[in-house]
Amino acid sequence: MPQSKIVEILSADELRRTINRLASQIVEASDDLANVVLLGVYTRGVPLSVAIAKQIHTLEGVLVPTGALDITFYRDDLDRIGLRTPSKTELPFDLNGKTVVLVDDVIYSGRTIGAALSAIHDYGRPKVVRLLVLVDRGHRELPIHPDYVGRTLPTSKDEQVKVFLSSAGDDRDGVELLKP
């Protein structure tokens, strides 16, 4: 089996700056940060949402609540991606009337976000749901477009994007593209 070629997309410093920029964009787009909640999609969307919340606190002195969303039972493609062990959805806030910023690491087909939107509506009726992704690699199968994007990275379908977050237990921070 041939070795994959690894291309660094974001170094640890570039990732930190990207998180800073995304946090700033949320601040600029929000009329009232007290009404904003960040909801991370397992797995890496959760620590990413926490990092963004910390940066918003650094910028504005406001503690934006964070939660974790498991979408396992909302997926329509488990037969293709394989069985997953569910995680615990944690919503330490009411979603009703809130501006929910849904946070995920990579958007590809849009199916994960479609499942997340279904899950959110089972927990409440937000005023608005915005989507923040660290990497948009294209190839959408659903009409879903992120509101906040760290990096747009056109890829081929046989390439993979890997996000590493030390806060998620990885040995480093960064983003890599794996080419076959």
Side-chain angles (χ1 to χ4, degrees), residues 121-151:
H121 289 291
D122 277 354
Y123 289 103
R125 180 146 168 63
K127 176 181 175 188
V128 65
V129 177
R130 302 281 184 233
L131 175 59
L132 179 148
V133 297
L134 186 59
V135 178
D136 181 351
R137 60 172 292 201
H139 304 285
R140 222 70 85 238
E141 296 172 6
L142 297 174
I144 293 173
H145 184 77
D147 300 283
Y148 310 103
V149 178
R151 175 71 58 96

Side-chain angles (χ1 to χ4, degrees), residues 15 18-27 30 36-56 64-71 75 90-91 93 95 99-108 110-117 119-120 126 128-136 144-151 163 165 167-168:
L15 179 58
T18 300
I19 289 170
N20 292 346
R21 179 173 46 81
L22 290 167
S24 294
Q25 289 175 347
I26 291 170
V27 168
S30 301
V36 174
V37 297
L38 300 177
L39 190 53
V41 178
Y42 281 108
T43 301
R44 286 182 173 62
V46 175
L48 187 58
S49 68
V50 171
I52 291 168
K54 285 180 183 175
Q55 185 58 28
I56 291 172
V64 174
T66 62
L69 185 65
D70 178 71
I71 55 133
R75 295 199 69 109
E90 298 176 18
L91 295 173
F93 42 75
L95 293 179
T99 296
V100 173
V101 179
L102 187 60
V103 180
D104 204 6
D105 58 346
V106 179
I107 187 168
Y108 179 56
R111 294 197 175 276
T112 296
I113 302 307
L117 292 170
I120 286 171
V128 65
V129 177
R130 302 281 184 233
L131 175 59
L132 179 148
V133 297
L134 186 59
V135 178
D136 181 351
I144 293 173
H145 184 77
D147 300 283
Y148 310 103
V149 178
R151 175 71 58 96
V163 174
L165 298 170
S167 58

